Amino acid sequence: MNDSILILTIESTCDETAAAVIDGDLRVLGSVVASQEKLHEKFNGVVPEVAARAHVKRILPVIDETLKKSQIQLSDLSAIAVANTPGLAGSLLVGLVCAKSLCLALGIPLLSVNHLHAHIYACRLATGKNVFPCVGLIISGGHSHLYHCTSPFDFKYLGGTIDDAAGEAFDKVASMLSLPYPGGPSISKIAVNGNPKAYRFPRTFINDQRLDFSFSGLKTAVRYTIGGQGKLDFSKIQLSDQEKADIAASFQAAVVETLVSKTIQACQQTNVKTLCIGGGVAANGEFRKLMTARAEQNGIQLHIAPIELCTDNAVMGAIAIEKYHAGQFEELDLDIVPGLVRS
Ligand code: KG4
Ligand code: ZN
């Protein structure tokens, strides 16, 4: 029994301040997520400085609430895990400094979490059984990457976006259509009334062997459809609700088809029959539908993280439990690594 092991996980890589308490058997005792969505709404995207300052204000109340929900005290903790890569530098620093200070004060070890690996691990948590080896796809506001995950410790980078992330494209296109931030849910909501075949938007690299994505050309194609080439004031564009719905549906279809096709290719190239998917864009209903159908056609066992574990949270930081059991602790000089390490 590992239920006497209690780990506090901290997540502050982007615009969610989150904490959770997990036991050694991967049971979640409590979890809190404080979203900053409202703070960034008016900028149509995350403003790093605003995000970092909001983390500073919220991190201790979020941890307090998590401990209260979990009905434990700080002194009951066995270790603290924190996501230190990748993410916004200022945001990462808040979580890391907080975790280190608590570890020092409590005399307990520090564990590091790779935020992208944690997104994949959300599937392991949800299914309750081993998912390794698998192909992992992370599709979020900042990332669209494919990994070959042979174990919870070994993630080999297979490919990813060479420009925008899928979620970023959703957010930018939503902004062009004057839809609220975050763009993913806004686009999928109006796309329900649109024709996905109204516009034939590009599906970059879809017939290519490389396991990379590119969404900036798609974003530009949508922009040209909305207002032609040249300088454009989006606030002056007049589109009917139907035109907006058709653009949203056609854009969504292009992203979804690209993501699904590349991911199936990744499974075929690695000869891996288990697929785990996480990140905010994995909440998209059309994506879930097409991915499920194609996985079935190709004999692939598919795990998509449940919606509440798709967007950023600290529960997925439970991947640190694997490190705890393996004795992989960090020194207190652990640093942040904001950029993507391709491994
Ligand atoms: O994983 P996440 O919460 O944060 C990051 O680490 O980036 O992902 C946020 C992204 C945003 O770009 C948002 O527009 C997108 O996920 N998203 C969606 C949907 N829900 C959230 N994209 C498409 N369809 C959705 N239903
Ligand atoms: Zn994320």
Side-chain angles (χ1 to χ4, degrees), residues 45-188:
V46 178
V47 182
E49 178 76 18
V50 173
R53 285 171 188 270
H55 285 307
V56 171
K57 269 196 185 161
R58 293 163 186 210
I59 198 146
L60 292 177
V62 163
I63 290 174
D64 277 344
E65 202 184 324
T66 306
L67 294 172
K68 212 158 123 195
K69 267 193 173 177
S70 310
Q71 298 185 314
I72 65 156
Q73 318 269 326
L74 273 177
S75 54
D76 296 323
L77 291 171
S78 320
I80 297 181
V82 62
N84 71 322
T85 186
L88 301 171
S91 295
L92 289 166
L93 273 172
V94 178
L96 182 63
V97 168
C98 179
K100 283 183 184 180
S101 312
L102 286 172
C103 284
L104 190 63
L106 297 166
I108 56 175
L110 177 69
L111 296 155
S112 64
V113 170
N114 177 310
H115 177 78
L116 300 182
H117 300 178
H119 267 302
I120 298 300
Y121 200 78
C123 295
R124 159 72 182 90
L125 284 176
T127 179
K129 48 181 195 269
N130 182 33
V131 293
F132 299 97
C134 66
V135 163
L137 171 71
I138 298 112
I139 35 177
S140 68
H143 304 279
S144 298
H145 302 302
L146 282 160
Y147 285 90
H148 183 181
C149 326
T150 44
S151 81
F153 307 104
D154 300 293
F155 288 68
K156 181 175 171 266
Y157 182 81
L158 294 172
T161 183
I162 58 163
D163 41 54
D164 295 342
E168 194 180 342
F170 268 100
D171 294 336
K172 295 277 161 52
V173 168
S175 160
M176 290 182 211
L177 295 173
S178 308
L179 299 172
Y181 175 83
S186 308
I187 297 240
S188 57

Side-chain angles (χ1 to χ4, degrees), residues 2-10 19-24 26-30 66-67 70 72 76-82 108-111 113 314-315 317-325 329:
N2 289 308
D3 55 0
S4 57
I5 297 165
L6 293 175
I7 295 192
L8 173 72
T9 57
I10 297 175
V21 173
I22 327 270
D23 77 13
L26 296 177
R27 276 186 297 249
V28 182
L29 274 71
T66 306
L67 294 172
S70 310
I72 65 156
D76 296 323
L77 291 171
S78 320
I80 297 181
V82 62
I108 56 175
L110 177 69
L111 296 155
V113 170
V315 171
I319 191 169
I321 299 279
E322 306 273 1
K323 286 190 176 173
Y324 184 91
H325 291 316
F329 301 109

Side-chain angles (χ1 to χ4, degrees), residues 11 13-14 16 115-116 119 138 140-143 279-280 310-313 316:
E11 155 63 40
T13 58
C14 186
E16 251 86 44
H115 177 78
L116 300 182
H119 267 302
I138 298 112
S140 68
H143 304 279
C310 276
T311 46
D312 287 348
N313 63 84
M316 63 193 193

